[in-house]
Amino acid sequence: MTQTIVIAEMTTNGVHSSTAELITAAMTFGGEPTLIVPCTDASLADSAVGMGAGSIIAAKSDVFANYDASGWAAAIDSVAPVGTVITSASPQSKDLAARLAAKRNISVVQDAVKIQNNTVTSPVYSGKAMQSVSINGPTVISVRSNIFPAATGGASSASVLDTTGKIETSVQEFMARASQRLDVSEANIIISGGRGMGSPDNFSHLEAIADTIGAAVGASRAAVDTWEPIPHSMQVGQTGKTVNPNLYIAVGISGAIQHLAGMRSSKYIVAINKDADAPIFQHADYGIVATWEEALPVLHDSLKAMMG
Amino acid sequence: MTTIIVLVKQVPDTNAKIAVNNGRVDLSAVKMVMSPYDEFAVETALRHREAVGGEVTALTVGGPAAEKILKDAKAIGVDHIVRIDSAEEMDSNALQTVLTKAVQDLGATVVYCGKSAADTGAGSTGPGLAERLGWASVSNIISATFSDSISAVAPGSGGNVKLSVPLPAVLSCDKGDFKVRKPNVKGIMQAKKASVEVHSIEAPASSVTLVDQSLPPAKPAGKSYQGGAAAAEVAQLLRDEANVL
């Protein structure tokens, strides 16, 4: 039986809830996974109790104050046992997964959506195909969120291990986001607008709904390329961000192949478009053929009433 | 002298439809292009050369067909083009081992690559190569300024973060807020005449092997509605049926 190690996904306040999904993914290899919590303050590891780990190690180091790929990989490598390692597939954790695998001279498989009998399946060609690979020996695997159910129970306390690594990069400046809203890569609900919104000013209607339901606001490439005020950081798609939230609401987006590539794995998709033939409708769980001017006020009122 | 290497990969045109035959993606009818993020890496490499001097080498791993993208890189201004000859599928460990040797043989102050290749979407090569070389790395950079070190902007928690990156380093490039240059006629002519340096490097055996490729499962047809008033019903279903609110 392979020893499996899970690297906790962190927020500023503690262990991210999606870590419990990583533990379920790790359990497909049998046994009770060891959870490593990279932290500067060991008490943060207490938030991992109840996520199903067989044991919890608070890997405590100043290295973890800011992300540095080299320092993090070294500090985690020195406390993680040999075995298959599971990480989140967030951009930072994919970077860490690759660096950690290289440190151990083993391979990394990114963006797993299924793990069964040492066979790991991930989307390739931006989700236009699925690829299954067979792994032989310890491997680092990053796992997409919202796929595996969350594990529960397990170890009731964490042990603390001090660790360290050499930090290579140094922070010159934190450049705060102009908006307080979540980034599309962090959000569980996303409402995106395309060129069908008519003007960048009309994105205020998306923002109002986003604020009601705690969503991030995204955009299609067409919208980003056409309108200066819509930044590339909002772009969902092949040359933007790949997202898989619980709910994706596409407004005035036709569903070009490059947009679908970035959001087709969302759990539920709502499409609002005036063109009944728009390709986005083939991927929507709920499709509304209407202009945004007609649909958004109704949607917003209903959501406001529900969120009350 | 600053020696800059930019890693480029040949991938199917991202607008191409992907077909699967006998458990393998069939690319026989698909146009192959330079992976889109690699274009930003080439642009960043050229800007680095323009800022501090030096030379840029574009490097790829693949068969002779992959030389087309090297010529494309040459046409927009890289100095040297190198192909590591390989016909086989490699896992990340094998590929990075080969690239590490190639970068050591060529010598480099900095390596640029795209944040991920459009085929695998993995994004493992940049950070993995850096670890094997014992270098610093920053992934997903959106801009950079150049001196004895590099100042790079990449996404961090709560916004972007500007990092000072000591050299040598590997930087993987996201789409930046700048345009990538296009080849001119002179560049295209020079690229035609340019010769590709071909090396061969032995790869270790892969421990991750391909089992099969398939099309994603078709999504069952969703519910469709006419007219904006239906948004009220959809909102209700999102809570009661989909359970996502």
Side-chain angles (χ1 to χ4, degrees):
Chain A
M1 190 165 60
T2 326
Q3 163 82 290
T4 47
I5 301 104
V6 174
I7 311 298
E9 186 71 0
M10 301 303 290
T11 69
T12 44
N13 308 319
V15 176
H16 193 281
S17 57
S18 63
T19 302
E21 300 172 14
L22 305 180
I23 291 169
T24 302
M27 284 171 167
T28 58
F29 293 100
E32 298 190 318
T34 300
L35 179 67
I36 307 248
V37 182
C39 53
T40 51
D41 170 1
S43 69
L44 290 182
D46 295 342
S47 54
V49 170
M51 291 186 176
S55 62
I56 304 170
I57 297 173
K60 183 171 163 294
S61 174
D62 291 342
V63 167
F64 298 125
N66 291 301
Y67 183 67
D68 175 77
S70 170
W72 280 51
I76 288 172
D77 177 53
S78 63
V79 294
V82 172
T84 285
V85 178
I86 306 287
T87 75
S88 157
S90 66
Q92 178 179 306
S93 291
K94 283 176 68 174
D95 184 55
L96 176 66
R99 217 147 165 156
L100 187 60
K103 188 159 213 72
R104 296 182 161 195
N105 287 311
I106 58 178
S107 266
V108 56
V109 179
Q110 304 276 18
D111 296 302
V113 295
K114 189 178 165 192
I115 304 175
Q116 201 169 38
N117 302 330
N118 289 324
T119 298
V120 182
T121 305
S122 307
V124 288
Y125 302 101
S126 304
K128 288 186 252 178
M130 304 302 289
Q131 173 169 293
S132 295
V133 295
S134 160
I135 61 169
N136 180 13
T139 307
V140 181
I141 303 168
S142 70
V143 173
R144 289 259 179 114
S145 58
N146 288 329
I147 309 273
F148 290 87
T152 55
S156 57
S157 66
S159 54
V160 182
L161 284 180
D162 286 302
T163 184
T164 193
K166 184 170 175 281
I167 297 174
E168 296 278 358
T169 60
S170 56
V171 175
Q172 292 175 308
E173 186 187 348
F174 288 103
M175 304 156 92
R177 213 175 280 134
S179 139
Q180 291 300 304
R181 231 165 259 117
L182 282 173
D183 187 81
V184 288
S185 60
E186 299 164 356
N188 251 325
I189 305 178
I190 296 169
I191 181 163
S192 287
R195 210 152 43 184
M197 292 303 292
S199 131
D201 296 339
N202 293 330
F203 273 63
S204 61
H205 298 276
L206 304 177
E207 289 164 3
I209 292 175
D211 291 342
T212 301
I213 54 177
V217 179
S220 68
R221 181 166 96 178
V224 171
D225 285 353
T226 311
W227 296 315
E228 185 82 42
I230 310 292
H232 175 252
S233 59
M234 284 170 63
Q235 185 181 319
V236 172
Q238 181 113 43
T239 48
K241 287 168 180 153
T242 301
V243 298
N244 58 331
N246 278 327
L247 173 59
Y248 189 91
I249 306 174
V251 187
I253 292 177
S254 63
I257 201 161
Q258 95 94 35
H259 188 74
L260 294 170
M263 45 64 76
R264 64 192 295 164
S265 64
S266 305
K267 205 162 187 179
Y268 284 92
I269 296 170
V270 174
I272 299 172
N273 201 298
K274 65 181 176 189
D275 175 9
D277 296 326
I280 189 80
F281 285 123
Q282 290 163 24
H283 300 269
D285 300 279
Y286 305 102
I288 303 173
V289 181
T291 63
W292 67 264
E293 290 95 330
E294 276 182 285
L296 288 189
V298 178
L299 181 65
H300 196 191
D301 287 346
S302 311
L303 292 171
K304 271 194 289 199
M306 273 163 46
M307 306 311 269
Chain B
M1 190 182 72
T2 307
T3 315
I4 302 163
I5 292 179
V6 56
L7 307 181
V8 291
K9 185 177 184 184
Q10 177 180 256
V11 300
D13 185 338
T14 55
N15 287 311
K17 203 170 160 17
I18 295 292
V20 172
N21 281 320
N22 299 322
R24 293 289 183 274
V25 164
D26 177 3
L27 300 176
S28 56
V30 174
K31 184 184 163 205
M32 301 298 278
V33 297
M34 185 188 296
S35 183
Y37 292 114
D38 296 353
E39 296 183 16
F40 291 95
V42 172
E43 177 65 32
T44 307
L46 294 174
R47 287 176 183 221
H48 192 162
R49 182 187 67 189
E50 283 154 9
V52 304
E55 290 190 339
V56 178
T57 298
L59 173 66
T60 196
V61 179
E67 291 185 3
K68 180 187 169 291
I69 59 162
L70 290 176
K71 298 267 181 167
D72 292 345
K74 178 73 186 171
I76 50 179
V78 307
D79 302 287
H80 309 287
I81 45 181
V82 178
R83 175 171 69 86
I84 309 299
D85 189 48
S86 165
E88 59 204 303
E89 287 290 325
M90 286 188 265
D91 66 7
S92 71
N93 182 53
L95 175 67
Q96 290 168 19
T97 303
V98 167
L99 284 173
T100 302
K101 178 80 168 52
V103 170
Q104 284 166 341
D105 288 351
L106 292 167
T109 327
V110 59
V111 175
Y112 292 100
C113 59
K115 75 161 182 176
S116 60
D119 50 0
T120 66
S124 304
T125 302
L129 174 63
E131 182 64 42
R132 288 162 201 269
L133 290 164
W135 294 4
S137 67
V138 179
S139 292
N140 311 324
I141 69 164
I142 54 173
S143 75
T145 50
F146 315 99
S147 58
D148 292 341
S149 62
I150 294 176
S151 178
V153 177
S157 54
N160 288 333
V161 55
K162 187 190 270 183
L163 296 161
S164 172
V165 189
L167 297 178
V170 181
L171 296 129
S172 85
C173 300
D174 197 347
K175 182 180 181 180
D177 280 329
F178 49 81
K179 292 256 181 285
V180 298
R181 65 196 74 185
K182 298 289 171 204
N184 57 27
V185 175
K186 185 169 160 237
I188 294 169
M189 294 311 290
Q190 279 178 345
K192 267 192 183 150
K193 282 183 278 177
S195 59
V196 178
E197 236 182 85
V198 181
H199 296 257
S200 81
I201 296 173
E202 200 173 329
S206 290
S207 68
V208 174
T209 49
L210 183 60
V211 176
D212 88 324
Q213 293 170 320
S214 59
L215 292 176
K219 196 162 178 165
K223 294 180 175 161
S224 72
Y225 302 88
Q226 290 288 330
E233 188 182 340
V234 169
Q236 206 62 44
L237 288 170
L238 287 175
R239 188 171 67 176
D240 300 340
E241 186 178 78
N243 207 12
V244 288
L245 289 174

